[in-house]
Amino acid sequence: MKNICTIRQQTDPILRIPSHSIPGITLEIKELIMDMFIVLKFTKGIGLAANQIGHSEALCIINAPEQIPMVLINPKITWYSSETCIMGEGCLSCKKIYKNIRRPNAIRIKYRDLNYQEHTKKLTGILARIAQHEIDHLNGKLIIDYK
Ligand code: ZN
């Protein structure tokens, strides 16, 4: 069995390389998504970007309590609310670090789903927070970069 449960840690160069967009859904991409949900379950996380397990595709997943799980392929933030709030954030790649970060309360994202269909969705609350954290990962940014 392949070792999918190694979460890349903050000094790993792959976490700093901007992800490349996915041109279409393949069996490999579907397997990667399944692996990511397994890792998230094992680690009790609420969001995971592909580069955290060593893949540079622009793909992240969200699985937060009381929310429908989301798969975001090639996600882009197209709008930020002017209202912001501060919330404490942890990261599976930055162990023992918990940081208060100010981010917009709401965002609008454009992304593709498992069928490569494009969607635009407004996210608020915890989903907006997690999506911004995961899209940071896809751009090579970590919570330790925030002041
Ligand atoms: Zn993270």
Side-chain angles (χ1 to χ4, degrees):
M1 190 180 158
K2 51 189 171 166
N3 182 11
I4 55 166
C5 267
T6 306
I7 302 272
R8 302 301 182 98
Q9 292 303 304
Q10 53 176 292
T11 53
D12 194 311
I14 197 165
L15 294 175
R16 296 306 191 171
I17 301 167
S19 299
H20 60 79
S21 89
I22 295 171
I25 306 299
T26 59
L27 185 59
E28 286 73 24
I29 293 295
K30 287 183 181 171
E31 284 178 349
L32 175 57
I33 292 167
M34 281 191 287
D35 287 349
M36 287 170 69
F37 275 104
I38 293 168
V39 170
L40 204 54
K41 196 177 165 135
F42 266 111
T43 53
K44 299 183 168 65
I46 52 176
L48 187 71
N51 55 6
Q52 291 183 276
I53 58 165
H55 291 262
S56 56
E57 288 87 353
L59 159 66
C60 59
I61 62 168
I62 297 174
N63 198 1
E66 293 165 40
Q67 305 287 338
I68 295 164
M70 292 184 80
V71 174
L72 305 177
I73 293 167
N74 303 340
K76 290 268 179 301
I77 299 175
T78 57
W79 172 83
Y80 296 91
S81 66
S82 51
E83 303 80 30
T84 61
C85 64
I86 293 173
M87 269 173 83
E89 290 183 32
C91 179
L92 295 171
S93 295
C94 309
K95 280 183 189 151
K96 294 179 187 157
I97 293 173
Y98 197 72
K99 204 152 184 183
N100 286 324
I101 297 175
R102 179 178 290 282
R103 295 186 191 270
N105 291 356
I107 54 172
R108 191 172 293 121
I109 56 168
K110 204 154 118 177
Y111 66 98
R112 289 182 184 272
D113 66 15
L114 267 174
N115 299 312
Y116 211 64
Q117 293 297 305
E118 195 171 67
H119 299 271
T120 302
K121 199 173 242 170
K122 187 181 176 185
L123 299 178
T124 59
I126 189 74
L127 288 179
R129 176 64 55 161
I130 302 169
Q132 289 177 81
H133 178 115
E134 301 312 329
I135 292 169
D136 272 355
H137 274 301
L138 300 180
N139 292 324
K141 191 169 184 180
L142 297 169
I143 55 171
I144 50 172
D145 301 337
Y146 286 86
K147 282 183 188 143

